Amino acid sequence: MTDWIARWKNGEIGWHKDRVNARLIAFIDCLELQQGDLVFVPLCGKSQDMMYLLECGFRVIGVELSALAIEQFFDENQLNYSKHQSGQFKVYQAENISLYCGDYFALNKMLLSAVSAVYDRAALVALDGDLRTKYAIHLYAIIPNGCRILLLTLNYPQTQISGPPYAVNAKEVRLLFTKFEYRQLECFNDIDNEPKFQNEGVDFIEKVTYCLHKK
Ligand SMILES: C[S@@+](CC[C@H](N)C(=O)[O-])C[C@H]1O[C@@H](n2cnc3c(N)ncnc32)[C@H](O)[C@@H]1O
């Protein structure tokens, strides 16, 4: 965990994109959201995708270890926010968005009882093997029945380069989310747009999108 805090402090945030993720735009409909619905963004960083969700008329609840990331999110998007303490979390709030600063694994079911959907980009794949299992078990435990998840993953030969982001193949996704209804929406090789992987001689990097449903 200290590693993530240090990355934010040192500005080593190569995963962060200044534009909205194209797969969120392409597949948001699979979440079957209504205006005003609440979307949970685990390990949210300062993702611009949260601004897109707000602009679409949804509400957002996120969790992020780094206070710096959260403060940068609000400052860079010129959103006025207030802060309060709630249990183990410092909560940063602006209109239609609450970002909980603290550990994802400390979130409980009550806090997420109003959530309709989850958006996971670079959350599952940020975690190493054991933590991914813990992440999926915890997610199932804290989100309500009926919740849908838009999950974006990466898969590449893990022997050719180390994570994060970690390679998570379709078999692992199936195993991790065995209690969910599961649909793969898209899978393509994006090696041409990944110079870091190309420079390391990685053969391919698949970007895979799933829609999961907790029945
Ligand atoms: C790879 S980044 C992805 C951020 C964001 N989802 C995005 O798409 O830009 C992973 C983020 O998870 C945060 N993080 C890691 N472990 C966490 C935990 N246990 N609880 C909350 N946040 C965590 C890190 O600080 C980091 O900002």
Side-chain angles (χ1 to χ4, degrees):
M1 283 191 201
T2 45
D3 190 37
W4 289 108
I5 302 286
R7 280 170 188 245
W8 277 102
K9 202 169 156 204
N10 301 329
E12 294 162 3
I13 55 166
W15 65 81
H16 177 72
K17 303 288 178 217
D18 285 329
R19 54 183 192 284
V20 178
N21 191 289
R23 291 190 281 161
L24 172 61
I25 298 171
F27 294 113
I28 194 164
D29 287 351
C30 87
L31 296 175
E32 298 188 16
L33 290 165
Q34 312 281 326
Q35 290 287 299
D37 277 355
L38 182 61
V39 181
F40 173 44
V41 184
L43 283 61
C44 61
K46 59 170 181 174
S47 172
Q48 278 304 109
D49 298 345
M50 296 192 283
M51 287 305 293
Y52 178 74
L53 291 168
L54 291 176
E55 283 155 16
C56 288
F58 308 127
R59 293 176 298 130
V60 171
I61 179 168
V63 66
E64 167 56 50
L65 272 182
S66 164
L68 199 58
I70 294 179
E71 283 163 15
Q72 286 181 10
F73 172 79
F74 285 111
D75 290 344
E76 288 171 12
N77 290 295
Q78 288 150 18
L79 298 174
N80 288 326
Y81 64 90
S82 62
K83 264 194 290 188
H84 68 273
Q85 194 71 31
S86 173
Q88 306 179 36
F89 295 92
K90 186 163 275 178
V91 188
Y92 293 68
Q93 242 167 354
E95 197 180 354
N96 292 328
I97 180 162
S98 303
L99 299 186
Y100 281 67
C101 186
D103 184 7
Y104 162 83
F105 295 101
L107 288 175
N108 64 42
K109 201 176 171 157
M110 262 183 22
L111 201 68
L112 299 183
S113 60
V115 161
S116 298
V118 179
Y119 173 61
D120 175 330
R121 184 259 166 189
L124 179 71
V125 298
L127 305 172
D128 68 18
D130 289 346
L131 270 185
R132 288 199 291 277
T133 306
K134 216 176 136 193
Y135 171 91
I137 292 171
H138 192 59
L139 192 62
Y140 188 82
I142 58 178
I143 59 173
N145 291 345
C147 205
R148 287 186 159 78
I149 305 174
L150 184 61
L151 170 67
L152 311 187
T153 64
L154 304 172
N155 184 38
Y156 60 84
Q158 191 71 86
T159 49
Q160 295 182 333
I161 188 172
S162 55
Y166 295 97
V168 181
N169 63 30
K171 188 174 162 203
E172 180 176 344
V173 171
R174 196 173 273 283
L175 280 172
L176 286 174
F177 297 98
T178 180
K179 288 182 164 175
F180 292 80
E181 202 176 82
Y182 159 110
R183 203 154 45 101
Q184 189 184 108
L185 302 175
E186 186 186 54
C187 174
F188 63 95
N189 180 8
D190 202 24
I191 192 72
D192 291 343
N193 293 310
E194 293 290 349
K196 184 181 126 192
F197 287 76
Q198 267 180 332
N199 293 341
E200 294 290 326
V202 175
D203 293 335
F204 65 87
I205 175 163
E206 283 174 349
K207 304 220 170 143
V208 194
T209 307
Y210 300 90
C211 185
L212 309 173
H213 188 194
K214 180 179 175 185
K215 289 279 208 164

